[in-house]
Amino acid sequence: MLAAFRSEELQVQMADLSASRSAAVAAEGTALRRLERDIHDGPQQRLVRLQMDLASAERQLEKDPDAARELIAEARTQSKEALEELRALSRGFAPPILMDRGLVAALESLAVRSPLPTHVESLLPAELVLPPELERNAYFIAAEALTNVAKHARAQNAWVRLELRRIPPTDAVWLDVVVTDDGVGGASAVAGHGLSGIAERLRGLGGSVEVVSPVGGPTHVISHLPLTSELPFSVEPPFGAEPPLGAEPSPASPDR
């Protein structure tokens, strides 16, 4: 008689699902607004300038051919830079290398484009095939964390590590994406940016994030993503301890 009713359990589950769905919607909304702003401030401005240069070149084509050629050369430069920016922005949806060669190759490509030396390590079993949606979210989480490092950490190096963790007693398997930097530490949360966006995305997936960022560094951002597929092999907890899955980062470990 003292036990909880089944209806109460269902209410709790429905509340959790509703919170996860709201977090996912908020994360996607934030990403779309950021993309809209990036397109407006980048390629759109270049295309406007391109249109003006071509119109001016057309007017001067007969009167001053040399000036027209200079304007056309500038327009060609503007078109090239706009195309490069659009290609970079398109990676925000689904990088071709992620779809063609998988998560590790996509992260290695991301590391090459990073403004600071970034090292990628995969401890995933060679036979493991991750679900495409999980790979996509893991990629964007790592990309957001590395962007955060480049903007705020004042670091010389960054590291990205992938590993699996099997958690007793449910025997659930989680994918951990660990991003580390040797910067100044002391990270703090800013609503709508950086690690706050990572936390939103993970809540929508039913995952969580742990941040360890003492003053003076280093900073460790450990994202836990649930892996629902059955695995035929054994996975040992790499740190020897169960993470607080589903929990918010503690006040003692602020995120940036």
Side-chain angles (χ1 to χ4, degrees):
M1 293 180 64
L2 296 178
F5 289 104
R6 177 61 178 165
S7 60
E8 295 177 350
E9 295 179 4
L10 291 175
Q11 288 178 352
V12 172
Q13 292 176 6
M14 290 179 63
D16 290 342
L17 289 173
S18 178
S20 295
R21 183 176 61 182
S22 297
V25 171
E28 291 301 323
T30 299
L32 287 173
R33 287 191 296 272
R34 182 181 300 131
L35 177 62
E36 181 181 10
R37 183 177 63 250
D38 290 344
I39 291 176
H40 178 272
D41 295 341
Q44 180 173 315
Q45 298 301 318
R46 294 190 185 280
L47 291 174
V48 170
R49 170 70 184 278
L50 170 62
Q51 186 180 26
M52 295 173 61
D53 286 347
L54 289 175
S56 181
E58 186 178 13
R59 289 193 299 268
Q60 298 189 34
L61 191 57
E62 295 182 0
K63 294 186 297 183
D64 192 346
D66 292 336
R69 278 192 291 270
E70 290 180 6
L71 288 171
I72 292 173
E74 291 180 7
R76 186 184 300 114
T77 300
Q78 293 289 337
S79 65
K80 180 181 178 181
E81 292 177 352
L83 180 59
E84 290 175 351
E85 287 187 352
L86 286 171
R87 285 174 175 168
L89 288 173
S90 69
R91 298 188 190 105
F93 288 105
I97 191 172
L98 178 62
M99 297 183 290
D100 297 339
R101 297 177 53 193
L103 178 59
V104 176
L107 291 177
E108 289 174 345
S109 176
L110 183 67
V112 170
R113 302 195 307 271
S114 176
L116 70 159
T118 302
H119 318 276
V120 178
E121 179 184 15
S122 174
L123 302 181
L124 303 181
E127 64 271 31
L128 177 65
V129 178
L130 295 172
E133 189 61 22
L134 184 69
E135 286 192 322
R136 177 179 175 274
N137 280 286
Y139 173 85
F140 285 128
I141 286 169
E144 183 69 30
L146 289 175
T147 298
N148 196 56
V149 170
K151 286 183 176 180
H152 305 291
R154 285 183 279 168
Q156 300 299 316
N157 294 274
W159 294 264
V160 180
R161 187 173 71 253
L162 300 175
E163 57 197 13
L164 295 182
R165 184 190 298 263
R166 193 185 293 274
I167 306 300
T170 62
D171 211 29
V173 178
W174 294 71
L175 171 67
D176 285 358
V177 181
V178 185
V179 177
T180 302
D181 68 72
D182 58 1
V184 297
S188 59
V190 177
H193 298 277
L195 300 184
S196 296
I198 291 177
E200 272 191 1
R201 182 183 290 273
L202 284 166
R203 279 198 299 271
L205 298 169
S208 64
V209 61
E210 295 180 72
V211 181
V212 180
S213 183
V215 175
T219 294
H220 306 274
V221 180
I222 309 168
S223 301
H224 305 295
L225 294 87
L227 181 62
T228 56
S229 59
E230 296 292 331
L231 299 183
F233 43 81
S234 174
V235 178
E236 298 296 332
F239 300 136
E242 179 179 349
L245 298 175
E248 294 295 322
S250 65
S253 300
D255 65 348
R256 183 178 290 112

